[in-house]
Amino acid sequence: MTQHGNDATVTLNPRPKATEVELHGINTIPDADRTSRPFDLFRIQFGGANTFATVLLGTFSIALGLSFWEAVLATVAGVLLGAVILMPMGLFGPKTGTNNAVSSGAHFGVRGRVVGSFLSLLTAIAFYSISVWVSGDAIVGALTRLAGVEDSIGLRTVIYAIIGAIVIIVVVYGYQFMLLVNKTAVIANTLLFLLALVAFATTFDPSYNPGPDAYALGSFWPTFVLAALIAMSNPISFGAFLGDWSRYIPKSTPPRKLFAATLLGQLATLVPFLFGVATATIVAGEVDYVVALIQASPLWYAVVLIFVAFIGGLSTGSTSLYGTGLDFSSVFPRFSRVQATIAIGSLAFVFILVGRLAFDLLGAVNAFVGAIIVTTTPWMIIMAIGYFVHRGEYDARMLQVFNRGETGGKYWYNGGVNWRGMVAWIAAATLGLLFAYFPPVISGPFANAAGGVDLSLIVAIGTAAVVYIGALLIFPEPSYSFGPSGPRVVRSIPGTEREVVLDHASQAARAQVRADARADASSPRG
């Protein structure tokens, strides 16, 4: 099989089997191994979100006191806005052959890119936890109704552990196995969600409206904005991970196809979102949505929900956990991708038990998704602006300097940090949190600046754009940090690129030495 690019014809290697453990870590994917297509990018986004975790996010708008149609409008608005912001994040992987956190080294510095690693960790823990929580609760609810099993903390712990362990196994196998799981989730869960039209045809009432006194934040607009932001968190959560999958797409792929794959993949998630909105009206007022829904379902559909929950838990959990394990294997080079995945998965499982069994689920999820939006969105804005300014031209080798235990190169800037992007992100994330209101955990001092309407997203986006563009204009980046075509719109200044040298004291360098020694020891002696 051959791939015809702009400059050369590449002979592609056979696509690995789903049961083969992925060999690539954070390193640049060779052109011959880029066997994916934009449709795969669509499929893994839709499959990863076509689950009960997304359904749970859809229920929040009803739990906050909106009517059915108000909730639908808030959900569509949030998903659409999030998808538009997310779209540029699919461009980096094909250009750089690595994930978005490492790609961000061009705009944050090869050391400053750990900001992206932190954001991916925050997102992974949140959505891995949500997926295991909700899927486990659905299975527990089904067991209590169908088999008469008594609900208990011990039962939930066992179910959470089983789902969490299976997710880790899927992620250990890697990208191709994830594609298989998500392909199954796209088809199976879509059909199962659509069966809800039959299951709840006689109980669902689209005129559901609890009245103005039910608004969680006291009035319509503050509550509506909060509901939209919660829905928006789902597409935004893909920002740090999109490059994990798009790096397997050939670099010659037209940007319009990547844009379309991302936009359509996110719009397709309205299927589980609106399932959540509609079914939440049926069990409104119940403390445990999942268990209550199973009790309210026809018996045949309660059985169906077990499969929806299980498949969905695997797809959402794996897409969340994969990128973090991948990225942290480079931040902490002593860990392989597999070891890092197991470590992060174990940490997330502890969070699941503590968060689900000891704290309020609604409050915990609300705080996490709020923090994800306010901190990740400005990072994505800076990345998108940087891509435009740099004309999408990147040096894949130089982006790997930190991972190789080296210093120097065109993205070294000041000690490995590009303060322009870093200052813009810190300012935007900080100001955004000061205006944020995600009760009961996050309540910034300026949360009531607009009469209770959450301004955190507008403040974060505006601050990131203004500070970053201002820094590029007033303090131009060195000319060597750009590609052959030079910068777009802004200017550059002359400079001398620092030579790339090995940092013998770094963990990455020591890890490379150990790897070389193992390779020499295992090689045949002549």
Side-chain angles (χ1 to χ4, degrees):
M1 180 178 178
T2 58
Q3 174 71 41
H4 298 280
N6 295 330
D7 302 316
T9 298
V10 177
T11 300
L12 297 178
N13 293 326
R15 179 177 288 212
K17 297 179 181 179
T19 53
E20 294 180 18
V21 176
E22 182 181 5
L23 298 178
H24 292 296
I26 208 67
N27 53 295
T28 305
I29 303 299
D31 291 341
D33 288 338
R34 300 192 185 191
T35 56
S36 289
R37 300 166 296 160
F39 180 72
D40 291 321
L41 186 61
F42 161 85
R43 192 171 70 187
I44 202 167
Q45 289 180 78
F46 182 29
N50 195 28
T51 68
F52 250 104
T54 308
V55 169
L56 180 67
L57 294 179
T59 67
F60 276 45
S61 54
I62 297 298
L64 290 171
L66 296 180
S67 71
F68 171 72
W69 290 112
E70 290 169 346
V72 168
L73 184 58
T75 300
V76 172
V79 170
L80 183 60
L81 178 58
V84 170
I85 295 175
L86 176 67
M87 284 166 61
M89 296 299 101
L91 300 177
F92 291 91
K95 293 287 186 180
T96 65
T98 189
N99 73 344
N100 284 355
V102 174
S103 298
S104 73
H107 311 301
F108 288 84
V110 291
R111 284 179 171 170
R113 65 90 169 173
V114 296
V115 168
S117 302
F118 164 76
L119 295 174
S120 70
L121 176 63
L122 181 69
T123 304
I125 290 178
F127 281 84
Y128 173 77
S129 300
I130 292 172
S131 67
V132 175
W133 278 340
V134 181
S135 298
D137 287 353
I139 292 174
V140 169
L143 289 175
T144 57
R145 179 176 180 184
L146 302 176
V149 178
E150 184 179 353
D151 189 358
S152 67
I153 292 178
L155 176 62
R156 295 200 181 211
T157 300
V158 171
I159 298 298
Y160 295 156
I162 292 173
I163 296 176
I166 296 175
V167 168
I168 292 176
I169 292 172
V170 171
V171 174
V172 164
Y173 274 100
Y175 175 69
Q176 296 299 332
F177 203 167
M178 286 173 53
L179 276 181
L180 176 62
V181 170
N182 282 277
K183 179 180 180 180
T184 303
V186 165
I187 299 172
N189 279 8
T190 299
L191 292 175
L192 296 176
F193 282 136
L194 292 178
L195 281 175
L197 297 175
V198 178
F200 301 111
T202 59
T203 54
F204 168 63
D205 180 8
S207 65
Y208 171 84
N209 187 351
D213 293 337
Y215 292 133
L217 301 188
S219 58
F220 170 72
W221 280 112
T223 306
F224 179 88
V225 171
L226 178 58
L229 289 176
I230 292 174
M232 182 182 169
S233 70
N234 195 65
I236 293 298
S237 71
F238 284 88
F241 300 131
L242 219 55
D244 299 343
W245 317 312
S246 66
R247 67 193 182 125
Y248 279 98
I249 298 175
K251 64 178 64 176
S252 60
T253 303
R256 69 178 184 278
K257 292 186 177 181
L258 298 169
F259 280 144
T262 298
L263 178 61
L264 294 176
Q266 294 303 321
L267 291 181
T269 66
L270 288 173
V271 172
F273 261 114
L274 296 181
F275 175 92
V277 173
T279 54
T281 65
I282 298 173
V283 296
E286 297 290 340
V287 175
D288 195 324
Y289 159 78
V290 178
V291 174
L293 179 63
I294 290 175
Q295 297 298 324
S297 301
L299 186 60
W300 65 269
Y301 198 70
V303 176
V304 167
L305 288 176
I306 297 178
F307 295 98
V308 174
F310 182 71
I311 295 172
L314 297 188
S315 57
T316 297
S318 61
T319 52
S320 299
L321 191 59
Y322 173 78
T324 300
L326 180 70
D327 195 49
F328 269 74
S329 65
S330 64
V331 177
F332 301 100
R334 67 179 60 186
F335 294 109
S336 66
R337 181 188 69 82
V338 173
Q339 291 171 330
T341 296
I342 294 173
I344 297 298
S346 301
L347 176 64
F349 182 70
V350 173
F351 176 80
I352 290 170
L353 294 182
V354 174
R356 182 62 181 93
L357 303 178
F359 295 98
D360 173 58
L361 176 60
L362 180 65
V365 172
N366 197 22
F368 254 93
V369 299
I372 288 169
I373 291 174
V374 175
T375 57
T376 302
T377 303
W379 179 82
M380 294 164 64
I381 295 298
I382 293 168
M383 288 279 284
I385 294 173
Y387 184 96
F388 176 81
V389 168
H390 282 250
R391 301 179 185 271
E393 296 177 343
Y394 298 99
D395 188 323
R397 168 66 179 85
M398 291 302 174
L399 288 171
Q400 296 286 343
V401 163
F402 177 84
N403 309 325
R404 295 173 181 268
E406 300 168 336
T407 61
K410 66 191 305 178
Y411 304 127
W412 187 251
Y413 298 106
N414 299 97
V417 177
N418 185 348
W419 63 265
R420 301 162 187 83
M422 188 66 72
V423 168
W425 177 76
I426 292 174
T430 301
L431 286 176
L433 289 172
L434 291 177
F435 282 85
Y437 185 56
F438 296 96
V441 181
I442 298 177
S443 181
F446 306 126
N448 292 317
V453 176
D454 193 312
L455 296 177
S456 59
L457 181 63
I458 296 175
V459 170
I461 291 176
T463 303
V466 170
V467 174
Y468 185 50
I469 293 174
L472 293 176
L473 292 172
I474 300 173
F475 305 100
E477 293 178 331
S479 56
Y480 60 76
S481 66
F482 295 92
S485 303
R488 181 188 277 131
V489 178
V490 303
R491 63 188 179 91
S492 62
I493 57 174
T496 302
E497 181 179 337
R498 180 173 169 177
E499 180 184 3
V500 176
V501 297
L502 186 66
D503 179 9
H504 294 281
S506 71
Q507 287 187 2
R510 292 197 294 268
Q512 188 61 52
V513 169
R514 291 193 297 269
D516 292 341
R518 287 194 298 268
D520 290 341
S522 61
S523 62
R525 300 181 182 275

